[in-house]
Amino acid sequence: MAINKKAAIEAMLFAAAEPVESEKIAAVLEIETSEVLSLIAALQQEYVERESGLCILKLAESFQLCSRKEYIEQIRALLELRKNTPLSQAALEVLAIVAYNQPVTKAFIEQVRGVDCSGVLRSLTEKVLIEEKGRLDLPGRPLLYGTTDNFLRCFGMESLEDLPELPEKQQPNDGSENQITLNEALAQAQPEV
């Protein structure tokens, strides 16, 4: 009996509950990656046409089955989740530094910000917006940090290439320096974390 490949992909994405690489889906179904991409595109279109509460997000070369953001309040009410608090200014700054310069060490982040960032790094790691990406080959072997797929999902990006361009430093007419921080590029899109 031949399986319905599109339904199989939908079932795999549902069961995984996290991003799944298209190559892995292709290997499981023993089909080409291009066919997987075509079937996922068809599924995405079906969800749009029937105004489904679900969607399939593309995160780099992976896909994840998610609920549509339009229904977040109903989902929170059902699961009795407290409303997520927006990221603090410090968290946005650290997240922006990591996103635009990754992989980075804690020392690099603290040099840019000028203050200790241990608590903010711990908070962003707990929210799965950043993660350890290995160690730097220097004395003490400091940890390297980078963003996660959850970061991309929360900010509605497919890859890091979708990060907004950093604004150029501008000189106001009065001659004083206009300080522009990295987090201004991310501040417009508060994530749902």
Side-chain angles (χ1 to χ4, degrees), residues 66-122:
C66 298
S67 54
R68 289 203 183 280
K69 62 184 175 184
E70 294 92 328
Y71 304 108
I72 191 70
E73 292 304 320
Q74 292 81 8
I75 294 167
R76 282 188 180 134
L78 174 69
L79 299 178
E80 298 179 3
L81 297 175
R82 65 180 176 82
K83 190 167 180 104
N84 291 331
T85 56
L87 293 175
S88 68
Q89 184 69 25
L92 272 175
E93 288 176 6
V94 169
L95 192 54
I97 292 166
V98 172
Y100 282 97
N101 299 284
Q102 62 187 304
V104 295
T105 63
K106 177 180 174 242
F108 175 84
I109 298 166
E110 290 174 345
Q111 182 181 7
V112 172
R113 291 193 67 232
V115 295
D116 178 64
C117 63
S118 301
V120 177
L121 283 172
R122 188 172 32 260

Side-chain angles (χ1 to χ4, degrees), residues 52-193:
S52 175
L54 302 175
C55 64
I56 298 176
L57 293 179
K58 183 174 187 215
L59 305 164
E61 299 303 316
S62 300
F63 294 89
Q64 183 174 11
L65 185 64
C66 298
S67 54
R68 289 203 183 280
K69 62 184 175 184
E70 294 92 328
Y71 304 108
I72 191 70
E73 292 304 320
Q74 292 81 8
I75 294 167
R76 282 188 180 134
L78 174 69
L79 299 178
E80 298 179 3
L81 297 175
R82 65 180 176 82
K83 190 167 180 104
N84 291 331
T85 56
L87 293 175
S88 68
Q89 184 69 25
L92 272 175
E93 288 176 6
V94 169
L95 192 54
I97 292 166
V98 172
Y100 282 97
N101 299 284
Q102 62 187 304
V104 295
T105 63
K106 177 180 174 242
F108 175 84
I109 298 166
E110 290 174 345
Q111 182 181 7
V112 172
R113 291 193 67 232
V115 295
D116 178 64
C117 63
S118 301
V120 177
L121 283 172
R122 188 172 32 260
S123 172
L124 292 172
T125 302
E126 288 171 2
K127 291 179 186 267
V128 196
L129 293 172
I130 63 170
E131 65 186 358
E132 295 175 6
K133 297 284 190 177
R135 292 189 174 269
L136 194 58
D137 195 16
L138 289 176
R141 306 225 349 114
L143 287 170
L144 291 168
Y145 292 94
T147 57
T148 64
D149 285 342
N150 190 48
F151 165 81
L152 295 174
R153 182 181 57 77
C154 290
F155 281 92
M157 291 183 270
E158 185 176 316
S159 72
L160 291 173
E161 294 171 5
D162 295 337
L163 282 168
E165 290 292 322
L166 289 173
E168 295 294 324
K169 211 173 197 183
Q170 299 173 0
Q171 297 292 333
N173 293 337
D174 64 4
S176 65
E177 295 261 345
N178 181 16
Q179 297 297 321
I180 295 178
T181 59
L182 290 174
N183 68 309
E184 288 175 350
L186 290 178
Q188 298 172 354
Q190 275 288 344
E192 292 287 339
V193 291

